[in-house]
Amino acid sequence: MRSIGRISAAVSVLALVNGPAMAGEGAFGFLSGDWYLTLGATGMVAPSFEGSKKYMFSAQPIISLGKAGSETRFSSRNDNISLALIDGGGVRAGLNGKIIFGRDAEDELQGLHDVRWGGEVGGFFEFYPTDWVRARAEVRHGIRAHSGIVADVAVDAFHDVTPTIRVSGGPRVSFATDDYFDTYYGVSAQEALTSGISQYDPGSGMKSAGVGGAITWKATDNITASLFTEYSRLMGPAADSTIVKERGSRDQLTVGVSTSYRFDFNL
């Protein structure tokens, strides 16, 4: 893909809630209280599409609006939009969502179908087996972009080197159903003729396995900056895809920096 500096938005509408509103409070009772708005930007170098061997620079705005609840011990850039319905400190669970941006059939994908923008909705569960390790799982169903199911599991160890600098990292693994793989990795007979890529009809299975890490600096109570990197190795139906074998790479690396400012307010 030739576009450089492509802007994709990652909008988190509700990121953390201590729990659902009491039945007698009503909508306005839920809206009242302490809220926060986080604004910032992320710049990264990453594959131009999932499975690509070519890299490009992209910028993502950070926009996060949420109702302040109990303080979260750890959060990762991999965490998607979350609304906690259960928050016991050591255990959190609730609703989860992700915005997905489209994929144009350009350059090495010429002749394949475009992938529409859409989203994924589902749930998440996370817990702390120790004070310095968090395990989190997300299961989401595709909307519009694809009709499959995706499951992501990540374990992160974290350590505060100083009161303002934290290092973190750990393994990641992802699974998906055949409907997801067909959208992003499948090649129909007609597409094989128009693209020159061999036909491929994927099944379900593991999508990728890898590791990620970050160094986060809390400059002030409101300003946070981060340097991060993620590596994943495509597995199963993704690795077997003719798109990856003939035009792409199983190795996927992302390196980037981000900074954000948190505004606190009360309704």
Side-chain angles (χ1 to χ4, degrees):
M1 306 176 92
R2 296 188 179 92
S3 58
I4 301 297
R6 180 183 61 183
I7 303 297
S8 62
V11 180
S12 172
V13 178
L14 289 172
L16 177 62
V17 178
N18 187 45
M22 297 296 290
E25 290 181 341
F28 292 101
F30 172 76
L31 291 176
S32 64
D34 297 324
W35 288 76
Y36 66 84
L37 173 65
T38 300
L39 300 175
T42 296
M44 67 180 73
V45 176
S48 56
F49 63 87
E50 192 174 277
S52 176
K53 64 181 178 181
K54 296 183 179 180
Y55 285 76
M56 61 177 291
F57 173 81
S58 64
Q60 295 182 349
I62 299 172
I63 308 174
S64 178
L65 174 66
K67 190 173 184 182
S70 59
E71 184 177 356
T72 304
R73 276 192 260 172
F74 176 80
S75 63
S76 166
R77 64 172 298 272
N78 296 307
D79 298 350
N80 289 299
I81 302 169
S82 300
L83 173 62
L85 303 179
I86 299 173
D87 190 346
V91 175
R92 296 179 68 239
L95 305 179
N96 183 249
K98 180 179 181 179
I99 297 172
I100 300 177
F101 296 88
R103 186 189 73 182
D104 296 330
E106 300 175 348
D107 298 336
E108 60 264 51
L109 298 179
Q110 191 73 41
L112 300 181
H113 64 278
D114 291 338
V115 177
R116 301 182 299 175
W117 68 269
E120 295 172 350
V121 295
F124 78 95
F125 174 81
E126 65 179 43
F127 71 99
Y128 293 82
T130 72
D131 290 337
W132 49 274
V133 173
R134 188 200 70 166
R136 178 180 171 105
E138 298 183 5
V139 179
R140 306 178 305 273
H141 191 287
I143 298 175
R144 195 174 188 269
H146 67 86
S147 57
I149 297 174
V150 179
D152 297 326
V153 179
V155 178
D156 285 276
F158 53 92
H159 174 68
D160 293 329
V161 180
T162 72
T164 59
I165 297 179
R166 167 175 287 181
V167 295
S168 62
R172 289 91 167 86
V173 63
S174 183
F175 304 86
T177 61
D178 55 353
D179 288 331
Y180 172 88
F181 284 119
D182 186 58
T183 299
Y184 291 96
Y185 293 95
V187 181
S188 68
Q190 179 61 41
E191 289 174 325
L193 291 175
T194 56
S195 67
I197 303 174
S198 303
Q199 184 177 350
Y200 177 63
D201 183 20
S204 303
M206 182 182 290
K207 181 166 76 80
S208 64
V211 64
I215 301 175
T216 303
W217 175 40
K218 191 172 183 179
T220 69
D221 288 340
N222 301 92
I223 300 175
T224 301
S226 179
L227 170 65
F228 62 87
T229 184
E230 297 276 340
Y231 167 78
S232 64
R233 175 82 167 170
L234 296 180
M235 311 288 284
D240 293 336
S241 171
T242 51
I243 296 175
V244 175
K245 287 183 174 180
E246 299 175 12
R247 303 284 177 86
S249 171
R250 294 180 62 183
D251 298 306
Q252 306 284 284
L253 179 67
T254 299
V255 178
V257 295
S258 67
T259 183
S260 64
Y261 187 91
R262 171 171 167 153
F263 299 88
D264 297 301
F265 60 96
N266 181 272
L267 293 178

